[in-house]
Amino acid sequence: MTNLSVNINKIATLRNARGENRPCVTDAALDIERFGADGITVHPRPDERHIRRDDVYRLRPLLRSEFNIEGNPTHEFVDLVLSVRPTQVTLVPDAPDALTSSAGWDVEANAEFLSSLVERFKEAGIRSSIFVDADPNVIRAAAATGADRIELYTKPYADAYDRDPEAAVAPFAEAARVARSLGLGVNAGHDLNLDNLAFFSRSIPFLSEVSIGHALICDALYLGLEETVRRYKAALANDR
């Protein structure tokens, strides 16, 4: 079954609004694990407007599920990942002032840079994933870097889902097949939610993991965190 990794950035955003420790990010992460999530994702940014570096260090020894750190691979980010040694690092081409991720890598143009990073992470025993659009040529370039996985940027699917689900998912299914043929694992994330997740996961072959944060935390405001995690896991349970 496809794993659910919960991005806890929005919990940190809420905490930071008051400058104290409520809600507690580490307690929330441990509860999310206890409620059935398969992993925890964080996306630290240079301005620390949500997840902070000290959050990352505190979380690492406490988590029992997979820990995924995603972000733009600046020197500071790479040093953090190599120090913490999470299960997985996801490389995302975010500008420092980006509100959220908005596109995958131009892998061919950054091939040397990404290949060198993948090699460093591999030496440290960290699984590497490259954030990409659903473009077979980009995925072939990602495979050439030596990365273990790709993460498909799914906002285009989410935006088109209501109009024509089959057409919306088709390029992602093809991208997953190409990735699999090249020996890459397939992750996915961005704007997946309870409306579109089950159809996506049923339609995408070889889907290892989805990373979901914003929509899941929004749902938790109405459903509660435990019930929300249960529903997202249930959507993924129908994926095969």
Side-chain angles (χ1 to χ4, degrees):
M1 190 176 78
T2 301
N3 285 343
L4 171 65
S5 186
V6 176
N7 187 319
I8 60 172
N9 277 19
K10 287 300 184 294
I11 294 172
T13 301
L14 181 60
R15 175 203 59 190
N16 294 352
R18 289 290 293 267
E20 297 174 350
N21 194 39
R22 184 178 178 88
C24 175
V25 168
T26 51
D27 286 352
L30 294 175
D31 283 339
I32 288 166
E33 281 189 327
R34 183 166 56 86
F35 297 152
D38 306 290
I40 299 295
T41 290
V42 295
H43 189 142
R45 287 187 165 87
D47 61 6
E48 295 194 319
R49 65 179 181 268
H50 34 61
I51 287 294
R52 301 170 179 156
R53 291 174 66 89
D54 60 346
D55 291 325
V56 180
Y57 284 110
R58 281 198 297 268
L59 284 163
R60 184 66 182 103
L62 299 175
L63 297 178
R64 296 294 175 262
S65 62
E66 290 198 349
F67 190 24
N68 173 47
I69 303 178
E70 64 180 28
N72 185 14
T74 62
H75 291 301
E76 293 78 10
F77 177 88
V78 172
D79 288 346
L80 175 65
V81 171
L82 291 174
S83 175
V84 172
R85 299 201 177 196
T87 315
Q88 177 175 269
V89 58
T90 302
L91 306 177
V92 182
D94 277 344
D97 58 350
L99 286 177
T100 186
S101 306
S102 59
W105 283 94
D106 181 341
V107 179
E108 188 172 358
N110 294 278
E112 185 176 352
F113 174 60
L114 292 170
S115 296
S116 66
L117 289 172
V118 167
E119 183 176 359
R120 292 180 69 184
F121 294 135
K122 190 164 293 188
E123 289 172 354
I126 303 167
R127 186 172 72 223
S128 58
S129 178
I130 298 178
F131 194 67
V132 297
D133 298 320
D135 181 330
N137 291 328
V138 173
I139 293 166
R140 293 185 186 98
T145 69
D148 301 294
R149 295 186 182 184
I150 55 166
E151 180 172 330
L152 295 171
Y153 172 56
T154 50
K155 180 174 174 55
Y157 161 76
D159 288 346
Y161 172 78
D162 287 339
R163 295 191 301 274
D164 188 339
E166 295 286 351
V169 83
F172 294 89
E174 175 61 18
R177 285 189 285 268
V178 171
R180 177 73 170 193
S181 74
L182 297 168
L184 290 167
V186 179
N187 299 341
H190 205 92
D191 284 359
L192 296 174
N193 57 46
L194 286 176
D195 294 327
N196 60 38
L197 178 60
F199 181 79
F200 183 84
S201 61
R202 285 197 306 269
S203 303
I204 304 300
F206 320 117
L207 183 60
S208 296
E209 174 188 292
V210 295
S211 176
I212 304 176
H214 183 79
L216 189 149
I217 300 304
C218 288
D219 289 331
L221 293 174
Y222 294 92
L223 302 172
L225 194 52
E226 183 171 9
E227 174 63 13
T228 300
V229 172
R230 187 196 69 77
R231 292 195 190 190
Y232 275 86
K233 288 287 292 179
L236 294 170
N238 293 322
D239 65 353
R240 297 291 180 265

